[in-house]
């Protein structure tokens, strides 16, 4: 794994105590989601394309090839870059700093939240 040497240096204390991790996804420009390829511009709902299942809980609307193939562009189906790309960035920091969440968590009014 590419991040293993970095994680090893942190674990062994070779670079001191990390104070923060910085990362990004750097998708600036028209080459990102706006120019996503449409596999079949003539696609239509039918036996192999269940538009109603695709919509799920999203607002009901007429079929759109653009919405079907470029769903990441629409709030009805996606949460934007934070839900789509950020986990890929954050995973690097979590792995290198070894800041895993506990295996078991529980919280109620009698127990204050766990301070990580």
């Amino acid at each position: 794994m590419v991040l293993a040497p970095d994680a090893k240096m942190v674990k062994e204390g070779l670079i001191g105590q990390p104070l923060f991790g910085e990362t990004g996804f750097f998708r600036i420009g028209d080459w990102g989601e706006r120019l996503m390829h449409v596999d079949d511009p003539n696609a239509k709902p039918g036996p192999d394309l269940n538009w109603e299942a695709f919509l799920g809980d999203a607002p009901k609307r007429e079929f759109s090839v653009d919405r079907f193939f470029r769903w990441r562009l629409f709030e009805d189906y996606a949460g934007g870059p934070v839900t789509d790309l950020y986990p890929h960035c954050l995973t690097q920091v979590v792995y290198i700093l070894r800041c895993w969440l506990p295996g078991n968590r529980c919280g109620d009014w009698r127990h204050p939240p766990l301070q990580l």
Side-chain angles (χ1 to χ4, degrees):
M1 174 182 269
V2 175
L3 302 174
D6 299 330
K8 182 178 179 193
M9 285 190 288
V10 169
K11 184 178 180 183
E12 294 175 355
L14 296 175
I15 63 170
Q17 177 64 40
L19 301 177
F20 70 95
E22 183 175 344
T23 186
F25 47 85
F26 311 112
R27 282 195 167 186
I28 300 171
D30 287 338
W31 57 270
E33 284 81 3
R34 287 194 296 167
L35 294 179
M36 288 175 63
H37 178 70
V38 172
D39 291 333
D40 181 3
N42 299 314
K44 294 185 178 14
D48 296 327
L49 195 163
N50 187 337
W51 178 244
E52 294 302 315
F54 172 83
L55 288 176
D57 294 334
K60 302 300 179 203
R61 59 177 66 246
E62 294 287 319
F63 174 73
S64 165
V65 170
D66 195 45
R67 283 180 174 267
F68 183 71
F69 286 103
R70 296 178 178 158
W71 57 269
R72 286 184 168 99
L73 298 175
F74 301 93
E75 281 186 347
D76 294 346
Y77 323 112
V82 170
T83 61
D84 192 25
L85 299 171
Y86 189 64
H88 300 290
C89 300
L90 183 61
T91 299
Q92 300 171 40
V93 175
V94 168
Y95 178 80
I96 291 170
L97 299 182
R98 304 184 63 77
C99 49
W100 320 122
L101 290 173
N104 296 309
R105 303 173 286 289
C106 179
D108 61 32
W109 64 272
R110 295 169 293 184
H111 300 92
L114 178 65
Q115 298 297 316
L116 299 176

